[in-house]
């Protein structure tokens, strides 16, 4: 009986050790993600994060899905490829490194500001929590004060898609496109399934309203009252 208990104890220790040293949760990956989170927090502290969100969507360099893996689900690998995900994380770090905000941090040493104490999954959850309120406030301000933001409806559509991915990480948006005129509807989808459709409607004032996913002529609730919660 003692031998069986000893073997079970050893097996548990091995499982715990493997979990702690999971290939997908290496200390260097923890430091990398944590360093990016620290850069994001610096921008929040300086009230410059709105500019960084707009910077990335205005570039039109990254697909909706790539933006998700940068901002919303960094603990996962884009296309199941660790190298692709590493490149996206580095591109995000490069876009965040501004001397006026983050100080004189050299890109090649950026991970040194990160810690490896938290697991990769926790760091992904931390990033979503960090960004959700700030992205919501940006989208709200774009809708209410469009003249203050140099963005198109296509950019706003992507920002809404990103917000949905941050809020619903398990069912993230894979595309966010605006249909051609005269429809001009932002359609945010997961795969081939439309998740959210919305368009600007002028009724005394300009409002961004949800519309039916199948019939964009059916106008529904104000997006600020129903979706951006």
């Amino acid at each position: 009986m003692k031998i069986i208990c000893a073997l079970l104890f050893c097996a548990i220790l091995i499982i715990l050790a493997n979990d702690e040293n999971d290939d997908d949760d290496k200390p260097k990956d923890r430091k990398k993600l944590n360093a990016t989170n620290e850069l994001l927090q610096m921008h929040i502290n300086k009230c410059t994060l709105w500019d960084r969100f707009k910077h990335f969507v205005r570039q039109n360099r990254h697909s909706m899905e790539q933006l998700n893996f940068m901002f919303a689900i960094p603990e996962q690998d884009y296309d199941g490829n660790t190298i692709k995900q590493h490149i996206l994380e580095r591109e995000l770090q490069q876009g965040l490194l501004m001397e006026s905000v983050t100080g004189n941090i050299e890109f090649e040493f950026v991970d040194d500001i990160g810690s490896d104490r938290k697991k990769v999954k926790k760091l992904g959850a931390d990033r979503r929590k960090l960004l959700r309120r700030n992205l919501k406030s940006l989208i709200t301000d774009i809708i209410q004060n469009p003249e203050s933001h140099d963005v198109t409806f296509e950019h706003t559509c992507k920002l809404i898609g990103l917000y949905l991915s941050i809020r619903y990480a398990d069912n993230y948006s894979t595309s966010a496109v605006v249909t051609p005129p005269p429809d001009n509807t932002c359609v945010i989808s997961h795969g081939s399934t439309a998740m959210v459709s919305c368009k600007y409607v002028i009724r005394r004032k300009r409002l961004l309203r949800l519309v039916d996913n199948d019939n964009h002529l059916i106008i529904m609730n104000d997006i600020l009252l129903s979706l951006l919660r």
Side-chain angles (χ1 to χ4, degrees), residues 128 132 162-169 226-229:
R128 289 186 287 276
R132 180 174 168 178
L162 185 56
Y163 175 80
L164 291 175
S165 295
I166 288 172
R167 187 175 171 190
Y168 305 110
S226 52
L227 183 65
L228 300 178
R229 298 192 304 245

Side-chain angles (χ1 to χ4, degrees), residues 16-229:
L16 290 174
N18 287 338
D19 179 64
E20 186 63 22
N21 297 296
D22 191 336
D23 286 343
D24 294 329
D25 196 3
K26 298 174 183 176
K28 66 177 183 179
D29 291 329
R30 296 182 185 186
K31 290 188 70 175
K32 181 175 60 183
L33 292 190
N34 184 248
T36 309
N37 288 358
E38 289 295 322
L39 295 177
L40 289 165
Q41 184 63 61
M42 291 178 193
H43 279 278
I44 291 171
N45 295 343
K46 291 279 189 176
C47 299
T48 52
L49 188 57
W50 285 11
D51 175 68
R52 294 298 86 195
F53 279 131
K54 291 188 290 185
H55 165 78
F56 278 97
V57 297
R58 279 195 299 242
Q59 282 184 321
N60 292 320
R61 177 179 172 185
H62 299 100
S63 67
M64 182 74 256
E65 198 163 11
Q66 288 172 332
L67 289 172
N68 289 330
F69 279 86
M70 295 166 79
F71 288 98
I73 46 175
E75 72 275 23
Q76 300 183 38
D77 286 335
Y78 176 59
D79 275 350
N81 188 309
T82 303
I83 295 175
K84 287 184 179 180
Q85 183 61 32
H86 175 83
I87 292 170
L88 289 176
E89 190 73 12
R90 292 305 188 202
E91 289 182 358
L92 176 55
Q93 288 179 342
Q94 277 188 314
L96 294 172
L97 279 171
M98 298 172 60
E99 190 170 346
S100 60
V101 176
T102 59
N104 194 23
I105 300 173
E106 295 184 36
F107 176 65
E108 56 265 38
F109 303 116
V110 66
D111 289 356
D112 291 345
I113 68 172
S115 164
D116 63 1
R117 287 177 299 184
K118 292 184 180 180
K119 290 194 172 186
V120 165
K121 286 184 179 180
K122 180 64 170 64
L123 291 167
D126 286 349
R127 187 172 302 182
R128 289 186 287 276
K129 184 177 180 181
L130 197 66
L131 298 180
R132 180 174 168 178
R133 182 185 298 178
N134 285 274
L135 184 52
K136 173 186 173 181
S137 63
L138 169 60
I139 295 168
T140 300
D141 203 67
I142 289 173
I143 294 170
Q144 295 179 339
N145 304 292
E147 68 284 350
S148 301
H149 302 275
D150 183 21
V151 294
T152 65
F153 188 35
E154 285 78 7
H155 299 146
T156 304
C157 186
K158 276 193 172 183
L159 289 170
I160 296 170
L162 185 56
Y163 175 80
L164 291 175
S165 295
I166 288 172
R167 187 175 171 190
Y168 305 110
D170 292 335
N171 195 35
Y172 63 88
S173 53
T174 55
S175 68
V177 297
V178 175
T179 59
D183 188 35
N184 289 324
T185 299
C186 165
V187 179
I188 299 166
S189 306
H190 177 80
S192 59
T193 303
M195 299 164 58
V196 169
S197 301
C198 59
K199 67 194 315 179
Y200 277 109
V201 176
I202 299 177
R203 290 180 179 173
R204 286 180 292 187
K205 63 178 181 178
R206 187 170 176 256
L207 298 173
L208 187 58
R209 304 285 292 269
L210 294 173
V211 297
D212 184 81
N213 286 327
D214 296 317
N215 185 349
H216 298 166
L217 295 177
I218 300 176
I219 309 297
M220 299 188 294
N221 297 333
D222 184 339
I223 197 171
L224 295 179
L225 299 177
S226 52
L227 183 65
L228 300 178
R229 298 192 304 245

